[in-house]
Amino acid sequence: MRNIKIVIEYDGTKYKGWQRLGDSDNTVQHKIETVLSKMAGENIEITASGRTDAGVHATNQVANFRIDAEMPTHKMRSYCYEYLPDDIVVKTVEEVDLNFHARYNAKVKKYVYNICNNKAHNVFNRKYEYHIPQPLNVEKMRKAAGYLIGEHDFQSFTTLKTKKKSTVRNIYTINIVNEDGNVEISIQGNGFMKNMVRLIVGTLVEVGLGERPADGINDILDKKERKYSGHIAPAKGLFLEEVNY
Amino acid sequence: MRNIKIVIEYDGTKYKGWQRLGDSDNTVQHKIETVLSKMAGENIEITASGRTDAGVHATNQVANFRIDAEMPTHKMRSYCYEYLPDDIVVKTVEEVDLNFHARYNAKVKKYVYNICNNKAHNVFNRKYEYHIPQPLNVEKMRKAAGYLIGEHDFQSFTTLKTKKKSTVRNIYTINIVNEDGNVEISIQGNGFMKNMVRLIVGTLVEVGLGERPADGINDILDKKERKYSGHIAPAKGLFLEEVNY
């Protein structure tokens, strides 16, 4: 029995997310498992660092799986490259210690969200960024983001319904860069709940548009109810960029 | 009668080029003319700096048209933005002197060609670059490109069949930059014939792969027959980036 770690890049545009509860085959996980199982001649199940929602992309999603076959890792990589659709690429394949677990061992995750803040959208990036034609006040957005840094109960920033699990997370950094109207928001933290990054972005955008005050963030956190945060920014602008172990 | 100059960005993926001889409506020119004619309530015909082939993109194609309507240019821009499909954007609209002609007055054109020279393609750029997994020797490509600079008869580098028109063109610069396997070839010249940029790129790629010598370019130029140059690089990697007047 071997434990294999893979790093995956995917364009989430046409998928129902990494994994879907239900019977859809149109998920990134299902595509990869089908190819790996055919390659191995055994049923392969993969575990990712976390799910990404429908339409969300990844430049470096991490996953692992157990396999009996003795195939060298570079052959696994080229097999995946040959048989996966062209919107999913397994970038690296590496044999790791048997106790490595892509989800449980993940320490820091980094997401990047792209906004096009020009009057007209860019035709080449239109599937990968959120177009906001009205001018954003990035300084105010940075100020608002400051209130989210650190350990907080992020219940107001998730659509997760469970009352059982902790909704406390730690956000380490939020960087917002504006280059000629290309606004990139990078968020690092120890974990993110369902729609958390997109709700943070949607709320920051409303601050940037002057629809809510930057110092209202504390109040949203205190309320611990999703209805107090902003809109859910579209999936297409979101990328899972890095998972650290 | 007014003369209007427009700058257009388009994703050529699903179009049969800027213009097609024949009866297809699926061209960039036809899409824009339809919207402008509806806007003006008169039949509008536009003239571009030149045609781009099926699948070729543009970041700054230039065109002009005559119009009687007294509509201000910023309203024309927003009308186009509202009614054009999302893979075509009219970026600027400007009233110009009546004798401005987008094709006849074009002095310098710049094309950019993108190559992904990594083992795996990039899933997000896959529709906008030529993937070549074997390592390219960029130094040799630069050396080969050097022989193309200046005024030459480029008959070997076009699929144009006419014997009547001159096939002499002047190429001012060819720059080749390689950043982590993202190879960008920029070509500036006074004019380009059918498939000329893609034949130049295809030939340079063959030099980069060691399939032909860098100093064989003079010989290809001398032969004045298309069959001596290389393959036609795929349309999807090519962008019309700038037209100077």
Side-chain angles (χ1 to χ4, degrees):
Chain A
M1 177 70 75
R2 302 155 73 198
N3 190 15
I4 307 292
K5 176 188 174 192
I6 57 178
V7 177
I8 313 138
E9 177 176 89
Y10 52 87
D11 177 341
T13 307
K14 66 172 200 187
Y15 295 104
K16 295 190 168 166
W18 172 262
Q19 185 192 39
R20 187 182 157 86
L21 299 175
D23 57 359
S24 172
D25 285 353
N26 193 24
T27 64
V28 180
Q29 183 187 23
H30 184 266
K31 295 285 173 195
I32 299 174
E33 284 179 343
T34 303
V35 170
L36 288 175
S37 298
K38 201 179 162 194
M39 174 191 87
E42 54 182 306
N43 190 37
I44 302 284
E45 284 178 24
I46 60 178
T47 306
S49 69
R51 288 174 198 153
T52 52
D53 288 329
V56 173
H57 318 289
T59 47
N60 294 291
Q61 168 71 287
V62 178
N64 75 297
F65 59 90
R66 305 292 174 114
I67 190 172
D68 283 322
E70 283 180 18
M71 186 180 238
T73 52
H74 73 271
K75 288 212 172 163
M76 294 183 192
R77 199 188 64 79
S78 49
Y79 188 95
C80 287
Y81 193 70
E82 186 168 1
Y83 292 103
L84 279 170
D86 67 359
D87 49 10
I88 303 175
V89 168
V90 174
K91 292 161 77 174
T92 61
V93 181
E94 181 191 359
E95 188 161 352
V96 288
D97 197 87
L98 270 182
N99 57 30
F100 173 81
H101 190 286
R103 186 163 81 249
Y104 299 149
N105 297 158
K107 284 205 174 70
V108 184
K109 278 189 196 172
K110 182 182 179 185
Y111 279 93
V112 170
Y113 196 95
N114 294 323
I115 296 172
C116 171
N117 191 220
N118 293 310
K119 271 190 193 165
H121 64 272
N122 176 301
V123 303
F124 305 107
N125 299 334
R126 69 193 192 278
K127 290 176 182 165
Y128 307 114
E129 58 192 17
Y130 181 14
H131 179 225
I132 300 173
Q134 305 88 348
L136 288 171
N137 185 325
V138 172
E139 262 318 306
K140 283 190 183 165
M141 292 169 71
R142 288 194 187 110
K143 194 184 162 200
Y147 294 100
L148 294 165
I149 306 299
E151 192 171 82
H152 300 283
D153 186 335
F154 285 97
Q155 204 170 336
S156 298
F157 289 94
T158 179
T159 53
L160 193 74
K161 289 277 165 40
T162 178
K163 296 277 176 198
K164 289 178 194 163
K165 289 185 185 170
S166 167
T167 46
V168 173
R169 295 290 186 280
N170 199 336
I171 292 188
Y172 305 127
T173 61
I174 302 182
N175 285 315
I176 310 181
V177 175
N178 181 6
E179 258 182 52
D180 301 326
N182 298 309
V183 177
E184 188 187 274
I185 303 176
S186 313
I187 307 187
Q188 281 183 304
N190 65 350
F192 296 90
M193 294 173 288
K194 189 165 175 60
N195 286 320
M196 183 169 153
V197 179
R198 291 162 62 190
L199 277 165
I200 288 174
V201 170
T203 308
L204 294 179
V205 163
E206 292 174 19
V207 169
L209 292 172
E211 293 169 4
R212 23 170 109 231
D215 57 10
I217 300 291
N218 274 335
D219 198 40
I220 302 172
L221 287 167
D222 285 347
K223 296 278 196 194
K224 292 180 192 163
E225 270 194 75
R226 184 265 168 270
K227 70 176 179 186
Y228 292 100
S229 59
H231 67 288
I232 302 178
K236 67 176 181 175
L238 184 59
F239 292 73
L240 172 57
E241 184 148 301
E242 212 176 304
V243 187
N244 291 119
Y245 291 92
Chain B
M1 177 69 75
R2 301 155 74 199
N3 190 16
I4 307 293
K5 176 189 173 192
I6 58 177
V7 177
I8 314 138
E9 178 177 89
Y10 52 86
D11 178 340
T13 307
K14 67 173 200 187
Y15 296 104
K16 294 190 169 169
W18 171 263
Q19 186 193 38
R20 189 184 156 87
L21 299 176
D23 57 358
S24 172
D25 284 353
N26 193 25
T27 64
V28 180
Q29 183 186 23
H30 185 266
K31 295 286 172 195
I32 299 174
E33 285 180 342
T34 304
V35 170
L36 288 175
S37 298
K38 201 179 161 192
M39 173 192 87
E42 56 182 307
N43 189 37
I44 302 284
E45 284 177 24
I46 60 179
T47 305
S49 69
R51 289 175 198 153
T52 52
D53 289 328
V56 173
H57 319 288
T59 49
N60 294 290
Q61 168 72 287
V62 177
N64 75 299
F65 59 90
R66 304 293 175 110
I67 190 172
D68 284 320
E70 284 180 16
M71 184 181 240
T73 52
H74 73 271
K75 289 212 171 163
M76 293 183 192
R77 198 189 64 78
S78 49
Y79 188 96
C80 287
Y81 193 71
E82 186 167 1
Y83 292 103
L84 279 171
D86 68 358
D87 49 10
I88 303 175
V89 168
V90 173
K91 293 162 76 173
T92 63
V93 180
E94 179 191 1
E95 189 162 351
V96 289
D97 196 87
L98 271 182
N99 58 30
F100 173 80
H101 190 286
R103 186 164 79 249
Y104 299 150
N105 297 158
K107 284 205 174 68
V108 183
K109 279 190 194 168
K110 182 183 178 185
Y111 280 92
V112 170
Y113 196 96
N114 295 324
I115 296 171
C116 171
N117 192 218
N118 293 311
K119 270 189 194 166
H121 65 274
N122 177 301
V123 302
F124 305 107
N125 299 336
R126 68 192 192 279
K127 290 175 182 167
Y128 306 115
E129 57 192 19
Y130 180 15
H131 178 225
I132 300 173
Q134 304 88 345
L136 287 170
N137 184 327
V138 172
E139 264 317 307
K140 282 190 182 165
M141 292 169 71
R142 288 195 187 108
K143 193 184 163 200
Y147 293 101
L148 294 165
I149 306 299
E151 192 171 85
H152 299 283
D153 186 334
F154 284 97
Q155 204 169 335
S156 298
F157 288 94
T158 179
T159 53
L160 192 74
K161 289 278 165 43
T162 178
K163 296 277 176 196
K164 289 177 193 164
K165 289 185 183 169
S166 167
T167 46
V168 173
R169 295 290 185 279
N170 199 336
I171 292 188
Y172 305 128
T173 61
I174 301 180
N175 284 315
I176 309 179
V177 175
N178 181 6
E179 259 182 50
D180 300 324
N182 297 308
V183 177
E184 189 188 272
I185 304 176
S186 313
I187 307 188
Q188 280 183 302
N190 66 349
F192 295 90
M193 295 172 288
K194 188 164 175 62
N195 286 320
M196 183 169 152
V197 179
R198 291 161 62 191
L199 276 166
I200 287 174
V201 169
T203 307
L204 293 180
V205 163
E206 293 174 18
V207 169
L209 292 172
E211 293 170 1
R212 27 171 104 231
D215 58 9
I217 301 290
N218 274 336
D219 197 41
I220 301 173
L221 287 167
D222 287 345
K223 298 276 196 193
K224 293 178 192 166
E225 269 193 77
R226 182 268 168 270
K227 69 176 178 185
Y228 292 100
S229 59
H231 67 289
I232 303 178
K236 66 176 182 176
L238 184 60
F239 293 72
L240 171 57
E241 185 148 301
E242 212 177 303
V243 186
N244 292 117
Y245 291 93

